[in-house]
Amino acid sequence: MMYVVIAVFVVVMAAALIVLLGMAIGAFSAMFTGMRDDLRTRRSAARAQPDGPHPAREPEESPADPLGDLADTLRLAQARRWESCQSIRQRLDGDPSEHGERDAGRFTLRALDIWRGRSLESVDEGEAGVRRHGGDTGELDRFASDPVGQIAWTTAAVAERISDLSAWRLDFFDRHSVRVDLGGEVTAIARAAVGLRDQFVILGDAPSGHLAADPEVVSTFAEKSLLLSGRLDELVRRLEAFAGYEQIVAQIQHRQEKQAWLDRVGGIDDVEHVVATEWDRAEADRMRHMADESDVLASIYLDEIAPLAKSLKRE
């Protein structure tokens, strides 16, 4: 019986394998037939087309706007520089919008002369005094509001503040070799600002027309613009360091004023005033005691002795 079952199982498995093999052969045959027909179709189409290269597709235009992105980057950089200069001016004056006569000091006039291309040797103290008291307010306003000139103008304002501090005249800075040449710093930054201003004039506005579509022109303009903007950033960092130096000088001024106050107040003799205070307290106690005695004696005299004496006189 077992042999019969095994024989039946073998027959069934053989039949199943034969069926599966037939299905596989049919599928492969259909696949190769389709591939052969597709190959014949492609060959026929190739023979029907004339010889020659296929027309190239035009490159798709890039949606990016490099000049627009560059303008945004430069605008943000300029805003940061302006904010830094305004912050320094606000700390110095409390109102960065005022460019009155107090701003027209010798360092401001020096920076203005460099900005205008005027020879520094041709400016004497007398002329500087006349210009300080009028005639340059509008020019100073234009100088201070220029995106590049503001750096030199703020540098001059920092130098003015340092020179006005009494602590700046201490020999401390000379003994420790930490005194900065204020005029030299103003001159260096002002001349650098003038050079960058002239470079921006040479660079001009962003290219337009067919130049704006030229990748080489656009990349060159972007490279030069970022280079000059980076120079301005470093110039502002130098200004910020100079403003930090002014804060140190101001702190020395505060310490000097504190020490002068302590020295002045220290002249008050504590022991002497403690003794005098105790003496005043004792005198006050003695005075109150005498007042009490006077009150008692007065009440005795007025209330008892005086009426008795008056009655005796009548008798």
Side-chain angles (χ1 to χ4, degrees), residues 106-126:
R106 59 191 181 97
F107 293 111
T108 303
L109 294 176
R110 174 189 290 264
L112 180 61
D113 288 333
I114 296 174
W115 182 256
R116 296 191 311 175
R118 182 186 178 101
S119 175
L120 296 179
E121 288 76 10
S122 64
V123 181
D124 56 20
E125 290 297 328

Side-chain angles (χ1 to χ4, degrees), residues 110-112 114-115 143 152 155 185-195:
R110 174 189 290 264
L112 180 61
I114 296 174
W115 182 256
F143 177 38
T155 302
E185 189 68 11
V186 171
T187 300
I189 292 182
R191 285 177 175 169
V194 169

